């Protein structure tokens, strides 16, 4: 396959900068041949100027046209065929089988948002008709809905080169909300990014979307990347990655003369609480499933379980022994990039030095030159855990800590001192849940998703999913980056008071020409309304 290595500035290919970014094959430990031009500040400025010009046209585009555009993106990605999967596998070390599923998730969520746009109720229309005779003061006619926020900067993620990247969930939801998008390609997979950006640009052209609806730039320089956040035309940011990078983006967004929302998904250690009843029912299946969840994708999922907590009785001891045996047989896996593998090894070695923490390593040693690492299980008790808060920090990779609690109070204290997390899992019986209502209540304040007798990896993309959580899981726990509610990040409310019918958006007109669900004088309905109620 041949790459031009240029930035996508609207519909133009641009290579003004001299610095090149190269992909890397983690399986071979070798840099790839093709160079990709890092964007210049001028190119970034041009991309955002085009986005700013496109926004007034895009926000007035008919819903059916936007839906057609999203469908077209999905089709063009599928048309890339095996070429896309091969390049993504080469740049990430992920298997073609895994990437086939990820491509399906990418295209299905694009089509999901096409359906959301076509149906239209996502705007949250709310109408309170006028009450001119109300005493002591008349009520005006009030009509509220959500509208697009403006150009959105999206940062591609390293661990999902398709589903959280150029045409991933952030891009799909921002475009569905009628916002132009400028993507910063992740430097670990520039070739994959170019292929997907080409598909997206083809969809722009085929559906007649305005110039500047989409741009993509290559950057590896942190300050250059932050210029996307600081640019006055940018109105919101979507990011998935490390806490360090996410916090830099969040801070830059907040420190602007006109602060903007930065929806940053960052670190999450995803605790698992094993209650006594679970171990009496299905100990082996829980152990097998938990090991699979911890090591899935070489532990490079933001929902990978990082800590397993249970009462220090004979059943939990047996549980720990069985889990340790699986880790001892664990096979090396290729991580996404040498820097990620290096960080994993360093964090594992640092944690192993903690007094009171024992280590179970797999018998197989990974090949450092091929970016391989091995699964590691740590074991300790609640007393050591509570004295060493850094044990709660995420280690990105196939690792977890098994914590033995000596009392129910210790169990609750561990939960209460937890930082924000994407998920919290409880294994047990329904009776266990009833007896541990206080634990469930605590975990509701810590996590965005509570799981009962299941595993946190494998995030369903749908209407009811919430993929977010209190800091440091995300910068704003009210929003999700997965599912249809992700569109709400890139909209803002506006209220029209006493506007004539012809000047109202279709979604707020009395006749409800779009046939959407609306809150009409406190009742959810699709009915039309009389102007005076």
């Amino acid at each position: 396959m041949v790459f031009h290595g240029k930035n996508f500035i609207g519909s133009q290919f641009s290579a003004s900068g001299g610095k090149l970014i190269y992909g890397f094959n983690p399986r071979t430990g070798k840099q790839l041949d093709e160079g990709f031009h890092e964007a210049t500040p001028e190119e970034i400025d041009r991309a955002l100027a085009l986005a700013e010009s496109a926004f007034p046209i895009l926000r007035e585009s008919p819903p059916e046209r936007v839906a057609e555009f999203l469908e077209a993106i999905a089709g063009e990605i599928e048309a890339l065929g095996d070429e896309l999967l091969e390049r993504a596998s080469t740049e990430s070390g992920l298997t073609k089988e895994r990437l086939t599923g990820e491509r399906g998730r990418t295209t299905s969520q694009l089509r999901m948002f096409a359906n959301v746009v076509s149906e239209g109720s996502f705007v949250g229309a709310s109408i309170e008709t006028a009450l001119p005779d109300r005493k002591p003061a008349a009520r005006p006619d009030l009509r509220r809905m959500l509208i697009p926020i403006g150009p959105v900067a999206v940062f591609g993620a390293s661990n999902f080169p398709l589903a959280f990247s150029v045409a991933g969930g952030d891009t799909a939801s921002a475009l569905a909300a009628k916002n132009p998008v400028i993507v910063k390609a992740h430097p670990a997979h520039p070739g994959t990014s170019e292929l997907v950006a080409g598909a997206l640009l083809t969809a722009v052209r085929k559906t007649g979307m305005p110039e500047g609806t989409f741009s993509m730039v290559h950057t590896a320089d942190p300050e250059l990347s932050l210029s996307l956040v600081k640019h006055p035309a940018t109105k919101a940011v979507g990011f998935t990655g490390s806490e360090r990078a996410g916090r830099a983006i969040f801070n830059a967004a907040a420190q602007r003369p006109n602060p903007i929302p930065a929806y940053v998904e960052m670190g999450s250690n995803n605790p698992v609480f094993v209650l006594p009843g679970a171990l009496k029912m299905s100990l082996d299946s829980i152990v097998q499933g938990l090991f699979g969840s911890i090591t899935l994708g070489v532990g490079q999922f933001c929902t990978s379980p990082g800590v397993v907590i249970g009462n220090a009785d004979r059943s939990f001891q047996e549980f720990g022994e069985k889990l340790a045996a699986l880790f001892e047989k664990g096979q090396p896996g290729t991580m996404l990039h040498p820097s990620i593998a290096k960080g994993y090894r360093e964090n594992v070695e640092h944690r192993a030095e903690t007094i009171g923490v024992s280590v179970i390593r797999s018998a197989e040693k990974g090949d450092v030159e091929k970016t391989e690492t091995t699964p590691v299980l740590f074991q300790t008790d609640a007393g050591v855990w509570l004295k060493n808060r850094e044990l709660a920090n995420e280690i990105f990779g196939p690792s977890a800590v098994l914590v033995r609690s000596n009392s129910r109070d210790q169990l609750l204290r561990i939960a209460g001192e937890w930082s924000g997390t994407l998920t919290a899992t409880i294994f047990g019986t329904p009776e266990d849940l009833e007896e541990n209502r206080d634990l469930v209540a605590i975990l509701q304040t810590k996590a965005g998703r509570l799981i009962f007798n299941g595993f946190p990896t494998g995030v369903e993309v749908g209407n009811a999913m919430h993929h977010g959580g209190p800091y440091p899981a995300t910068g704003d726990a009210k929003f999700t980056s997965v599912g249809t509610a992700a569109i709400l990040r890139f909209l803002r409310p506006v209220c029209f008071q006493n506007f004539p019918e012809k000047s109202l958006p279709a979604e707020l007109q009395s006749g409800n020409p779009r046939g959407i669900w609306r809150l009409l004088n406190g009742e959810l309905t699709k009915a039309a309304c009389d102007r005076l109620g």
Side-chain angles (χ1 to χ4, degrees):
M1 60 190 78
V2 179
F3 295 93
H4 57 66
K6 298 179 180 179
N7 297 284
F8 289 67
I9 310 301
S11 62
Q12 303 300 311
F13 302 141
S14 181
S16 300
K19 184 178 178 181
L20 295 177
I21 296 170
Y22 292 89
F24 187 88
N25 186 331
R27 289 199 195 93
T28 64
K30 296 185 182 302
Q31 179 178 284
L32 299 173
D33 294 334
E34 304 90 350
F36 297 80
H37 290 264
E38 184 163 44
T40 64
E42 292 75 21
E43 286 172 322
I44 289 174
D45 191 66
R46 277 167 40 210
L48 279 154
L50 283 171
E52 203 168 27
S53 297
F55 179 52
I57 303 169
L58 187 57
R59 72 184 179 193
E60 297 300 328
S61 297
E64 57 271 18
R65 188 177 172 199
V66 177
E68 179 191 7
F69 173 46
L70 295 169
E71 293 273 5
I73 299 171
E76 294 299 328
I77 290 172
E78 290 169 341
L80 292 171
D82 285 346
E83 183 179 25
L84 175 63
L85 302 178
E86 289 167 3
R87 182 65 185 198
S89 181
T90 298
E91 289 183 330
S92 67
L94 300 172
T95 65
K96 286 182 67 175
E97 291 74 19
R98 147 74 194 270
L99 289 163
T100 298
E102 190 180 329
R103 179 181 60 185
R105 173 175 170 171
T106 304
T107 55
S108 67
Q109 65 191 4
L110 283 160
R111 293 186 171 112
M112 175 188 73
F113 279 112
N115 291 333
V116 168
V117 170
S118 297
E119 194 277 332
S121 298
F122 72 94
V123 299
S126 181
I127 298 173
E128 291 183 331
T129 52
L131 296 175
D133 299 326
R134 190 183 68 174
K135 304 298 182 184
R139 184 175 78 184
D141 185 272
L142 299 171
R143 305 187 180 215
R144 179 188 187 272
M145 66 177 287
L146 300 174
I147 64 170
I149 198 169
V152 175
V154 171
F155 285 67
S158 65
N159 59 337
F160 282 88
L162 301 177
F164 276 87
S165 193
V166 175
D170 289 343
T171 297
S173 54
L175 290 173
K178 301 185 181 180
N179 299 297
V181 170
I182 307 91
V183 170
K184 189 203 87 68
H186 197 283
H189 35 80
T192 305
S193 298
E194 181 178 308
L195 289 170
V196 177
L200 217 152
L201 181 58
T202 300
V204 169
R205 290 169 173 161
K206 284 186 175 181
T207 56
M209 302 307 286
E211 170 83 355
T213 295
F214 170 78
S215 292
M216 186 193 78
V217 295
H218 295 284
T219 73
D221 181 344
E223 285 304 313
L224 195 58
S225 300
L226 287 178
S227 70
L228 279 165
V229 182
K230 298 174 182 178
H231 197 284
T234 304
K235 301 305 179 188
V237 182
F239 167 86
T240 297
S242 69
E243 184 176 347
R244 176 185 56 80
R247 188 56 192 259
I249 289 169
F250 186 88
N251 291 347
Q255 291 165 6
R256 290 170 40 133
N258 56 330
I260 59 172
Y263 299 108
V264 292
E265 182 193 322
M266 301 175 287
S268 184
N269 212 8
N270 306 301
V272 176
F273 291 84
V274 182
L275 302 181
L279 300 178
K280 297 174 183 176
M281 295 170 52
S282 52
L283 187 148
D284 287 338
S285 63
I286 295 174
V287 169
Q288 291 282 349
L290 187 57
F291 176 75
S293 188
I294 293 167
T295 58
L296 182 68
V298 202
Q300 297 170 115
F301 286 84
C302 47
T303 54
S304 292
V307 182
V308 185
I309 307 122
N311 293 323
D313 55 19
R314 179 71 191 106
S315 295
F316 192 68
Q317 182 181 341
E318 183 183 357
F319 171 86
E321 290 169 353
K322 288 178 178 271
L323 186 61
L326 292 180
F327 271 85
E328 288 173 339
K329 297 176 184 177
Q331 298 299 306
T334 299
M335 298 197 80
L336 293 160
H337 194 269
S339 62
I340 294 175
K342 181 174 181 287
Y344 173 75
R345 293 189 196 98
E346 289 176 348
N347 286 327
V348 163
E349 293 303 323
H350 177 70
R351 182 160 292 178
E353 295 170 357
T354 305
I355 296 174
V357 175
S358 59
V359 186
I360 302 294
R361 296 178 186 271
S362 65
E364 296 290 332
K365 294 293 183 182
D367 187 335
V368 174
E369 294 299 320
K370 294 183 179 180
T371 324
E372 289 182 343
T373 58
T374 56
V376 177
L377 178 68
F378 299 94
Q379 300 186 73
T380 191
D381 61 45
V384 173
W385 173 273
L386 291 168
K387 292 177 183 177
N388 295 273
R389 295 297 302 278
E390 67 177 22
L391 290 174
N393 295 339
E394 177 189 23
I395 291 181
F396 190 67
S399 170
V401 185
L402 190 69
V403 181
R404 302 178 300 274
S405 174
N406 296 315
S407 68
R408 192 167 179 280
D409 287 343
Q410 277 190 330
L411 195 75
L412 294 176
R413 187 178 166 194
I414 289 172
E417 294 187 7
W418 208 271
S419 298
T421 183
L422 292 171
T423 73
T425 300
I426 299 174
F427 282 97
T429 63
E431 291 74 23
D432 283 328
L433 278 187
E434 286 299 308
E435 293 171 6
N436 289 273
R437 283 174 171 263
D438 44 4
L439 174 63
V440 176
I442 291 170
L443 294 178
Q444 287 182 55
T445 70
K446 306 293 182 178
R449 177 163 57 110
L450 301 185
I451 299 136
F452 180 58
N453 288 347
F455 302 98
T457 44
V459 181
E460 181 69 21
V461 181
N463 299 314
M465 175 53 62
H466 187 83
H467 188 67
Y471 184 86
T474 68
D476 192 333
K478 299 187 297 298
F479 294 94
T480 179
S481 61
V482 177
T484 56
I487 197 172
L488 299 176
R489 298 173 297 168
F490 306 120
L491 298 163
R492 69 171 183 86
V494 64
C495 177
F496 297 85
Q497 182 169 326
N498 289 336
F499 264 56
E501 284 290 318
K502 290 183 179 180
S503 297
L504 286 167
E507 291 86 349
L508 295 180
Q509 290 174 9
S510 296
N512 194 12
R514 291 208 57 202
I516 63 173
W517 288 100
R518 307 187 299 185
L519 193 64
L520 175 58
N521 293 327
E523 179 184 350
L524 193 63
T525 179
K526 288 187 176 182
C529 66
D530 183 81
R531 184 69 185 181
L532 297 179

